[in-house]
Amino acid sequence: MSIQPQMPRLWRRETKPHKFCPGCGHPLILKALAEAIDELGIADRTIFGCDIGCSLLSWDFFNLDTVQTHHGRTTPVMVGIKRARPELICIAYMGDGGGYAIGSQHLVNSAVRNENIMAVLANNTVYAMTGGQMAPTTMPDQKTETSPYGRNVKEAGNPTQGPEMVAAIASQDAYVARGTISKLGQLKNFFKKGLKNQMEGKGFSFIEALSACPTNWRTNAEETWNFIEKDMTKYYTVGEIKAPVQDKEG
Amino acid sequence: MEQKPIQGEKKVFMTGNETVAWAALAAKADIMYGYPITPQNEIMHYWTRLAPKHNRKFLQTEDEISAGFTTVGGVLSGKRAFTATSGPGNVLMQDSLSMAEMMRIPIVMVVTQRGGPSTATVIYSQQETTLTCFGGNGEGIRVVYSTASHQELFDYTIKAFNTAWKYRFPTFVLGDGYQSQMREPLKIYDPDEKGIEFVPAVAQLGVEGEAGVDRDPIHLRNTYNMEDELYEVVRGLVDDFKAVAPEIEEYREQDVDDCEILVVAHGIVSRAVEGAVQQLRREGIKAGSFRPITLRPFPEKHLRRNAEKARKMLIVESAEGQLRRLAADAIYGCQTPMEGLFRPGESITVEEVVQAVKGLL
Ligand SMILES: Cc1ncc(C[n+]2csc(CCOP(=O)(O)OP(=O)(O)O)c2C)c(N)n1
Ligand code: SF4
Ligand SMILES: [Mg+2]
């Protein structure tokens, strides 16, 4: 019987401990992603791109060729690489600000063009790196530095439901899901399916992961988990949102 | 074997945009990323017609921000990638260009200047001089070739790919709407037959071997924690740029040996200036001209040498002193008076230059 290794092979020990705050959701998402890549055996051809936001702290996280880009621009950089070298597997990693606000045009248009890359977005309901401002994903009435009295949906609109939006415009072959750091096994499987979609040339995959930012939420461990598991899931449905037809039948 | 896009050498009569597309093909460009804007459009139009026949690629992006960053991606992956834009598109591309500057990503970009500020005209101007040389949050670590004819558009587009990959600085071909849209005779050729050797494109990501197994992973970043850490990187960039600048600098001078009035212009305006100098010489007036072909790095020493000998200088440009600032900075301390003939967004004729020089006598 073989023993399951504790850490994915892609986990680059030389750069650990990692740079994220204790209790942060980013490294959990990255661990699940690393396991998915390991299990698919595609590390030799995978390129990882990270955005500006706390995701940038992953620039030396993996045993993977990696590029840190500008805020919101990781998707086009990875699209550029994939178009030039289709044999590579390209992953764009970003926050909710990067993907749904400043870089939203790239997410929308990459989905429409069915770009054969996988975009992964950490939804922590805030702009974390810049100190906890309101993000597109900030929950109704949630207090942040720029919504100190709570998000007023009349003024700021409803929180962005990214995967639902992408699913509505993406090709029928696209793969779209929302996972959470409270179900890492499921999240890993979503990543695997998204990556397989890319390997098979079916096109765009988009996976949002509900994530935690205890630093900006100013929450302890229990409050953190309650927010992710109870509050966030009221608004953000976890599960597959669009899976290519064949997969659903199979 | 795949047929070469151009066999031998051919005399042609074509627009500047068509010329650029042929030059990029001849320069073995693998992929173009672009977004429509006048007067650049036909570079894409010709490229999209020619590229598939020669196994080259094209992506029309959602905007110029994306065109710039997809070009960055293409170059990082080791392909000869390029883009082209103008005016507001040039503004939007500066973010990706500053990334390219910082990370030594050799992107090639063709700028077909149009009138500004803002939307303004789609015709012609030299108002993107400062933007192209120094746009973005950085130090202007870029190579900028300012072309004046279709032959130069062809030659320098080819050269831009080699300069970019040899020195690993973002490299620009700075044209304008007139050069883009008018037709001119020129010779297009197969660079191999001319003995032009191509500097190979090298991947900065996705190289041989499995990261962490056969080799260390490549981790590219442009974020730094410490002032000193950043300073060291920028210092290195600046020093590298300065060290190779003399090799890259190009200029053209005419009748400068005994000239009293030195007229300075770049790009297409220099054609009017050179015509004016010829006419003035026929009238016995000692005029001469200096044209920087590279605006970055600027041929400082060569301008100074000429400026110091002259009695007066006249800067002529289709902008309000953008070239003048480059020139004044280059020859700082030189006592020769400097006058300007500035026509932002407007063309300048031989007669106007002749008049302006006579006004200085
Ligand atoms: C063009 C630009 N605008 C603004 C910023 C400042 N900035 C850095 S990170 C960030 C927000 C990041 O939030 P998000 O994408 O949600 O990532 P998180 O830090 O929450 O993981 C902003 C606005 C920037 N770097 N670049
Ligand atoms: S600020 Fe928040 S998102 Fe950023 S590293 Fe800390 S916990 Fe993670
Ligand atoms: Mg965020």
Side-chain angles (χ1 to χ4, degrees):
Chain A
M1 201 185 93
S2 68
I3 297 165
Q4 182 74 17
Q6 278 296 300
M7 280 304 177
R9 200 195 57 70
L10 285 197
W11 190 267
R12 186 162 174 81
R13 287 167 199 274
E14 290 86 335
T15 58
K16 304 295 172 294
H18 59 62
K19 301 168 175 68
F20 300 95
C21 305
C24 178
H26 278 292
L28 295 174
I29 300 170
L30 296 171
K31 181 168 180 256
L33 180 61
E35 286 171 354
I37 296 168
D38 273 359
E39 287 176 25
L40 291 170
I42 52 171
D44 60 336
R45 59 206 137 109
T46 299
I47 310 286
F48 180 74
C50 56
D51 216 70
I52 294 297
C54 288
S55 64
L56 83 84
L57 302 173
S58 63
W59 70 271
D60 63 353
F61 195 90
F62 291 131
N63 277 317
L64 281 181
D65 286 358
T66 300
V67 57
Q68 167 257 311
T69 78
H70 285 193
H71 187 34
R73 312 305 169 207
T74 307
T75 300
V77 171
M78 301 321 280
V79 166
I81 295 174
K82 185 73 184 188
R83 288 272 180 163
R85 301 251 322 259
E87 75 278 13
L88 298 173
I89 302 292
C90 296
I91 301 168
Y93 184 59
M94 67 204 79
D96 34 22
Y100 296 149
I102 197 167
S104 55
Q105 77 272 42
H106 309 311
L107 182 63
V108 166
N109 287 284
S110 298
V112 168
R113 292 195 303 261
N114 203 26
E115 294 289 349
N116 199 24
I117 65 162
M118 180 165 92
V120 177
L121 184 147
N123 174 357
N124 57 13
T125 75
V126 285
Y127 282 51
M129 172 136 280
T130 38
Q133 296 84 4
M134 183 171 70
T137 46
T138 297
M139 306 276 287
D141 302 322
Q142 185 182 341
K143 288 185 176 145
T144 70
E145 292 297 333
T146 49
S147 60
Y149 304 108
R151 178 182 185 133
N152 176 353
V153 291
K154 283 203 182 118
E155 268 179 25
N158 291 316
T160 301
Q161 297 196 318
E164 288 80 358
M165 172 183 77
V166 170
I169 57 175
S171 136
Q172 60 184 31
D173 283 338
Y175 179 80
V176 184
R178 181 186 286 113
T180 165
I181 56 164
S182 75
K183 290 183 186 162
L184 282 180
Q186 182 196 50
L187 183 61
K188 179 188 77 182
N189 280 333
F190 292 165
F191 288 147
K192 275 176 85 172
K193 285 194 177 177
L195 287 166
K196 269 196 202 147
N197 230 41
Q198 183 174 166
M199 290 158 71
E200 291 165 11
K202 284 188 189 152
F204 197 61
S205 50
F206 178 61
I207 291 139
E208 180 189 288
L210 302 183
S211 186
C213 177
T215 302
N216 285 299
W217 294 352
R218 301 193 178 94
T219 46
N220 63 24
E222 193 184 347
E223 290 159 353
T224 301
W225 283 113
N226 277 340
F227 191 72
I228 294 176
E229 291 184 327
K230 298 204 180 109
D231 299 341
M232 284 177 82
T233 50
K234 270 188 218 140
Y235 198 84
Y236 298 118
T237 312
V238 172
E240 285 184 325
I241 292 163
K242 188 185 195 102
V245 185
Q246 306 90 299
D247 271 20
K248 272 203 171 146
E249 285 165 356
Chain B
M1 222 191 86
E2 192 197 315
Q3 271 227 332
K4 289 198 165 174
I6 305 166
Q7 324 273 326
E9 186 176 277
K10 266 196 263 184
K11 271 193 166 171
V12 295
F13 182 67
M14 53 172 64
T15 66
N17 282 346
E18 189 174 3
T19 301
V20 168
W22 278 106
L25 267 185
K28 307 181 199 295
D30 296 297
I31 183 163
M32 176 184 187
Y33 305 86
Y35 185 83
I37 188 165
T38 310
Q40 171 275 136
N41 292 318
E42 297 83 6
I43 297 176
M44 296 189 304
H45 300 179
Y46 285 106
W47 180 262
T48 49
R49 278 157 186 75
L50 294 166
K53 297 181 186 156
H54 300 281
N55 258 326
R56 320 294 175 86
K57 298 178 187 173
F58 174 75
L59 175 66
Q60 182 167 327
T61 56
E62 56 274 22
D63 57 21
E64 287 90 348
I65 299 175
S66 181
F69 280 100
T70 46
T71 307
V72 161
V75 172
L76 285 173
S77 81
K79 296 294 179 187
R80 299 160 86 80
F82 77 107
T83 186
T85 191
S86 179
N90 193 358
V91 173
L92 290 185
M93 281 195 193
Q94 292 303 324
D95 194 26
S96 53
L97 292 166
S98 59
M99 175 170 166
E101 209 172 296
M102 181 62 156
M103 297 170 79
R104 304 289 292 263
I105 301 169
I107 85 176
V108 170
M109 173 167 159
V110 179
V111 178
T112 64
Q113 296 176 88
R114 53 187 263 173
S118 187
T119 308
T121 63
V122 296
I123 307 167
Y124 152 92
S125 88
Q126 297 187 314
Q127 293 167 289
E128 290 169 59
T129 300
T130 307
L131 177 67
T132 307
C133 290
F134 296 105
N137 52 336
E139 305 297 339
I141 321 270
R142 307 149 168 223
V143 177
V144 180
Y145 293 113
S146 174
T147 58
S149 68
H150 287 33
Q151 190 62 57
E152 287 188 359
L153 272 179
F154 189 78
D155 297 344
Y156 282 100
T157 300
I158 292 173
K159 193 171 206 171
F161 283 94
N162 265 345
T163 302
W165 283 98
K166 179 170 178 192
Y167 301 105
R168 309 190 77 93
F169 297 125
T171 302
F172 298 77
V173 176
L174 184 65
D176 58 69
Y178 278 9
Q179 291 184 68
S180 284
Q181 303 293 336
M182 72 181 174
R183 278 175 206 278
E184 232 176 40
L186 74 148
K187 283 183 186 158
I188 61 172
Y189 48 81
D190 169 16
D192 294 336
E193 283 186 30
K194 290 262 172 188
I196 296 173
E197 279 185 35
F198 281 101
V199 180
V202 181
Q204 280 167 271
L205 287 171
V207 303
E208 269 303 297
E210 186 168 345
V213 178
D214 311 315
R215 59 171 174 88
D216 280 341
I218 299 167
H219 289 146
L220 304 177
R221 60 160 171 163
N222 67 56
T223 172
Y224 297 89
N225 295 328
M226 317 285 286
E227 291 173 8
D228 327 52
E229 202 186 1
L230 172 69
Y231 173 77
E232 230 174 65
V233 175
V234 178
R235 184 84 273 147
L237 286 177
V238 173
D239 289 349
D240 286 358
F241 188 71
K242 282 190 178 156
V244 295
E247 258 169 74
I248 300 175
E249 283 165 17
E250 290 186 41
Y251 60 94
R252 192 172 132 118
E253 35 186 41
Q254 176 197 19
D255 292 322
V256 288
D257 288 342
D258 61 344
C259 89
E260 289 180 4
I261 312 283
L262 179 70
V263 191
V264 182
H266 76 96
I268 199 166
V269 173
S270 67
R271 286 168 73 165
V273 165
E274 291 185 6
V277 166
Q278 280 171 18
Q279 190 175 317
L280 289 159
R281 285 277 164 174
R282 281 197 294 273
E283 296 176 28
I285 295 165
K286 287 187 172 172
S289 71
F290 182 87
R291 169 189 163 208
I293 295 175
T294 51
L295 298 178
R296 292 289 295 157
F298 196 86
E300 295 180 0
K301 266 192 246 143
H302 305 284
L303 178 60
R304 181 184 290 276
R305 169 169 50 78
N306 286 309
E308 278 172 352
K309 286 188 310 196
R311 195 162 58 77
K312 277 185 183 168
M313 284 171 78
L314 176 69
I315 314 283
V316 184
E317 55 181 313
S318 179
E320 191 65 28
Q322 299 196 23
L323 174 63
R324 186 192 194 280
R325 284 196 287 277
L326 289 175
D329 187 41
I331 62 166
Y332 177 73
C334 169
Q335 297 301 312
T336 311
M338 202 187 257
E339 302 292 331
L341 173 59
F342 302 147
R343 292 264 189 281
E346 222 184 16
S347 54
I348 299 168
T349 61
V350 170
E351 293 68 33
E352 286 170 310
V353 180
V354 168
Q355 279 320 111
V357 171
K358 286 183 176 169
L360 296 180
L361 292 172

